[in-house]
Amino acid sequence: MNFYAIKAIYTFEMARWWRTVTQSIISPVVSTSLYFVVFGAAIGSRIESVEGVSYAAFIVPGLIMLSLLQQSLSNASFAIYFPKFAGTVYEILSAPISHVETVISFVGAAATKSIILALIILVTANLFVEIHIQHPVWMVVFLVLTAVTFSLIGFIIGIWADGFEKLQLIPLLIVTPLAFLGGTFYSISMLPETWQTVALFNPVVYLVSGFRWSFYGVADVDIAISLGMTLVFMAVALAIITWIFKTGYKLRS
Amino acid sequence: MNIQTSTTAPAVSITSLDKTYDTGFQALRGVDLTIRRGEIFALLGPNGAGKTTLIGTICGLVRPTGGQILVGGYDVLTEFRKTRAMIGLVPQELTTDRFETVWATVSFTRGLFGKPRNDKVIEKILRDLSLWDKRNEKLIALSGGMKRRVLIAKALSHEPSILFLDEPTAGVDVELRRDMWNVVRELREGGVTIILTTHYIEEAEEMADRIGVISNGQIILVEEKAELMRKLGRKYLAIQLQEPIAELPGDLAAMGLTLAETGDELRYSYDSQSDRTGIANLMAALNARGVRIKDLSTHQSSLEDIFIGLLRDRT
Ligand SMILES: Nc1ncnc2c1ncn2[C@@H]1O[C@H](COP(=O)(O)OP(=O)(O)OP(=O)(O)O)[C@@H](O)[C@H]1O
Ligand SMILES: [Mg+2]
């Protein structure tokens, strides 16, 4: 293992983030607060509670998940796309580092950033509504697994994209809709029966459900299935990355 | 591979290397090339000849489609950790992380290449390249020539034993060139192998031990510089006249003499390798005509002349 290289890329990425830390942190904090005002306060005042949890508290795990997905994707995709775009990727390609090390450093940094943000959102949310976490260890497990999985997916998008449009395309057209439809702001059980079945094809449902369970002990799907599916997504992302590196797709000419 | 191999093997050893890009364009065709340890090797060739592609395959930027490359005796594909750690690369294009400082970006490269932090080494490199005063400046604020220096500093940051310079002096002022060649000479004295591409042939002529010429993806010539000059170099004799003459007498022109426009110099071009240069006959003829000679000098054709001649011969 080239630990010096992993450390170099990881600290480089974190330093890049740190330089723009105010905008990296303020914007998610502001948007989360807005969600709270709109969904928590305005709508929440009309919905008493969902499965025994006040609506404002109910949406907290979903909101955190939503940011976690978006931030992981954009952090990781940008981190690898930008050196490609600027040409500085030559350095990484000519360095004595393996693909595994490259992924560990970029994905590790992206996941770290989005986890920090998730925690900041959690703290912000706590200002609006009191939150108790029933299974803190599981909460951290879901947080980390999801951050890593979506950072991996972001990494794939960053390698695949050959323009800024493509970089935005998948997050905008696929991931954000799936996140909104994935029970971020509601319980799947609130949907008509056929839609409940359809929802089960949405990967985000499993992530949100598992994460929410770690907070309140209530879930749309069984916690074991949630965990299993989360691991499956991670495995799929890893398989795609392995394939990309095996074929040298789009990185080395 | 044992250690013995790695200390006695050539710096770079390439056999039947092919590269066809995804576009279907074949940029390298059966390249065979050996770079010796500690030499300065200049790779010359016109635009699009495949110089950057060749360097890319050795450094890990371009996937070869055929053939084999050994660096220090190790295969660049299967033992890339060993080979890449030995190599420093200064790319042709100026690509830098705009918002990083000089110090940070150079230190970053050292880590990337698997070396522990060493501020002394970085400081020496920055001082040698006259970058020390700029160490805390952001790259975006540097001029092109300064960015070039930074790229060189990055390539040297992990103390490589093989250095690739892909057109290091393109668009660079005299001062930087001088700094750079001083650094290159010092590196060579320290045993570093240097491979450079350049369009400035006088640079290759001045710096290189050996010269390779690539054209259309094929190495068409590899030669010791001195040998190349000797073999292909034509010399000419310049004869300064005491009084200018208006026209060259016909029989003198037939001997291969030409008159310079100014009318006060005659030129005689000959092959310095041949047994009979014809100079003695020429002198006799001049003497017989009563041409009075002020001075004589011989000149050797430059690499540029040789190079142009080579490429012309092939087309
Ligand atoms: N990524 C690529 N895809 C397709 N063709 C390429 C690619 N990179 C280079 N080529 C082609 O391969 C040929 C060799 O390019 P290369 O950059 O190696 O030339 P060069 O000798 O370095 O030229 P120059 O002196 O202009 O730098 C050129 O015809 C170029 O158009
Ligand atoms: Mg080139």
Side-chain angles (χ1 to χ4, degrees):
Chain A
M1 272 274 171
N2 184 346
F3 287 108
Y4 290 114
I6 295 177
K7 189 179 148 211
I9 298 178
Y10 186 89
T11 36
F12 174 89
E13 280 298 307
M14 294 310 287
R16 191 168 60 78
W17 185 63
W18 192 246
R19 274 199 296 270
T20 54
V21 72
T22 31
Q23 97 202 39
S24 315
I25 287 176
I26 287 189
S27 74
V29 168
V30 168
S31 60
T32 306
S33 306
L34 285 175
Y35 280 125
F36 256 98
V37 174
V38 175
F39 288 99
I43 301 178
S45 62
R46 292 169 189 264
I47 305 175
E48 279 293 284
S49 70
V50 185
E51 302 181 21
V53 183
S54 83
Y55 184 70
F58 177 85
I59 64 169
V60 172
L63 270 181
I64 293 175
M65 266 294 157
L66 183 65
S67 292
L68 195 68
L69 300 188
Q70 288 169 337
Q71 291 294 324
S72 300
L73 280 181
S74 70
N75 284 334
S77 60
F78 193 79
I80 188 69
Y81 175 77
F82 194 74
K84 256 183 15 169
F85 171 74
T88 49
V89 75
Y90 85 87
E91 224 185 343
I92 290 159
L93 297 180
S94 65
I97 53 172
S98 66
H99 302 143
V100 174
E101 289 153 3
T102 313
V103 172
I104 289 176
S105 19
F106 277 105
V107 168
T112 308
K113 295 176 214 172
S114 53
I115 289 170
I116 292 175
L117 277 173
L119 296 176
I120 290 173
I121 292 172
L122 183 62
V123 172
T124 314
N126 205 31
L127 301 176
F128 291 89
V129 52
E130 209 174 316
I131 296 163
H132 293 287
I133 301 169
Q134 284 190 14
H135 310 283
V137 175
W138 282 110
M139 189 211 84
V140 172
V141 168
F142 274 106
L143 204 62
V144 171
L145 286 180
T146 310
V148 169
T149 302
F150 278 77
S151 297
L152 285 169
I153 297 171
F155 190 82
I156 296 169
I157 294 171
I159 286 181
W160 165 78
D162 49 15
F164 278 100
E165 299 80 21
K166 279 194 181 171
L167 204 60
Q168 309 287 349
L169 202 68
I170 294 187
L172 207 67
L173 285 187
I174 301 177
V175 178
T176 304
L178 284 184
F180 274 95
L181 299 174
T184 328
F185 298 111
Y186 54 89
S187 161
I188 299 297
S189 60
M190 292 156 99
L191 293 172
E193 210 153 305
T194 37
W195 285 103
Q196 287 190 29
T197 317
V198 172
L200 292 179
F201 287 97
N202 180 350
V204 179
V205 166
Y206 300 92
L207 305 175
V208 173
S209 168
F211 196 52
R212 189 173 286 137
W213 172 86
S214 69
F215 278 71
Y216 308 120
V218 295
D220 289 332
V221 287
D222 192 89
I223 174 66
I225 295 176
S226 276
L227 189 63
M229 290 303 262
T230 309
L231 291 171
V232 167
F233 301 142
M234 186 185 264
V236 170
L238 282 173
I240 297 174
I241 287 194
T242 310
W243 174 80
I244 284 179
F245 280 132
K246 273 245 167 69
T247 57
Y249 177 76
K250 288 236 177 160
L251 265 184
R252 292 192 161 85
S253 52
Chain B
M1 294 280 159
N2 56 31
I3 292 166
Q4 188 118 44
T5 324
S6 73
T7 52
T8 55
V12 183
S13 162
I14 301 173
T15 36
S16 345
L17 179 66
D18 287 318
K19 173 59 190 179
T20 305
Y21 281 109
D22 293 342
T23 55
F25 182 82
Q26 190 172 4
L28 295 176
R29 305 155 189 268
V31 169
D32 291 304
L33 182 64
T34 303
I35 311 284
R36 299 174 194 150
R37 276 174 186 262
E39 74 173 337
I40 300 185
F41 187 91
L43 190 60
L44 301 177
N47 288 129
K51 302 181 293 294
T52 302
T53 305
L54 180 58
I55 290 177
T57 56
I58 304 169
C59 298
L61 304 179
V62 176
R63 285 172 299 141
T65 37
Q68 192 187 38
I69 305 171
L70 303 180
V71 171
Y74 300 108
D75 189 295
V76 295
L77 296 180
T78 55
E79 306 203 64
F80 67 89
R81 273 187 209 277
K82 289 195 180 105
T83 65
R84 292 187 201 161
M86 290 181 222
I87 294 176
L89 167 65
V90 181
Q92 183 172 3
E93 316 258 329
L94 281 176
T95 52
T96 48
D97 284 299
R98 302 147 61 83
F99 303 110
E100 292 294 314
T101 64
V102 172
W103 179 272
T105 197
V106 176
S107 304
F108 168 76
T109 308
R110 184 175 170 86
L112 195 61
F113 280 73
K115 285 282 178 88
R117 179 174 170 167
N118 186 333
D119 293 354
K120 280 264 147 45
V121 171
I122 306 286
E123 177 175 343
K124 163 133 185 30
I125 293 168
L126 294 185
R127 285 192 188 279
D128 285 350
L129 288 162
S130 314
L131 280 170
W132 183 246
D133 295 340
K134 308 254 178 202
R135 65 189 179 280
N136 293 322
E137 282 191 30
K138 293 215 163 104
L139 296 173
I140 193 170
L142 299 184
S143 71
M146 282 293 164
K147 285 195 187 117
R148 178 77 63 188
R149 285 173 201 247
V150 173
L151 289 183
I152 298 169
K154 279 162 83 78
L156 295 177
S157 66
H158 59 284
E159 304 155 276
S161 58
I162 303 172
L163 179 67
F164 286 89
L165 298 158
D166 197 352
E167 294 191 33
T169 49
V172 144
D173 70 5
V174 183
E175 197 187 345
L176 173 50
R177 272 210 216 187
R178 201 193 50 219
D179 273 10
M180 217 171 67
W181 294 132
N182 285 340
V183 170
V184 165
R185 282 198 189 92
E186 197 182 314
L187 287 169
R188 207 267 285 268
E189 273 156 32
V192 176
T193 308
I194 292 145
I195 296 128
L196 60 98
T197 75
T198 176
H199 283 191
Y200 298 107
I201 288 157
E202 64 275 22
E203 217 161 68
E205 202 168 338
E206 195 192 324
M207 299 297 303
D209 300 311
R210 285 199 308 153
I211 287 170
V213 177
I214 184 171
S215 173
N216 269 320
Q218 283 173 304
I219 299 278
I220 57 178
L221 173 129
V222 175
E223 198 78 72
E224 299 284 340
K225 181 185 66 188
E227 181 73 7
L228 182 66
M229 301 289 296
R230 204 171 59 80
K231 236 198 220 157
L232 293 169
R234 291 189 68 79
K235 279 192 163 180
Y236 71 87
L237 176 71
I239 304 161
Q240 303 269 313
L241 305 178
Q242 288 203 347
E243 285 131 24
I245 53 172
E247 212 181 328
L248 196 61
D251 56 340
L252 287 182
M255 293 181 81
L257 263 183
T258 52
L259 181 66
E261 265 173 39
T262 47
D264 61 354
E265 187 183 292
L266 295 174
R267 283 191 180 178
Y268 176 66
S269 167
Y270 63 97
D271 183 353
S272 60
Q273 298 312 111
S274 78
D275 293 338
R276 300 181 57 85
T277 55
I279 291 179
N281 285 344
L282 181 74
M283 286 301 154
L286 287 174
N287 221 4
R289 298 214 146 252
V291 177
R292 296 209 296 166
I293 297 168
K294 191 162 97 187
D295 199 5
L296 287 175
S297 56
T298 62
H299 301 263
Q300 188 143 28
S301 54
S302 70
L303 257 178
E304 180 136 24
D305 304 331
I306 298 172
F307 181 55
I308 290 168
L310 256 176
L311 292 177
R312 199 195 301 117
D313 289 349
R314 292 181 62 88
T315 49

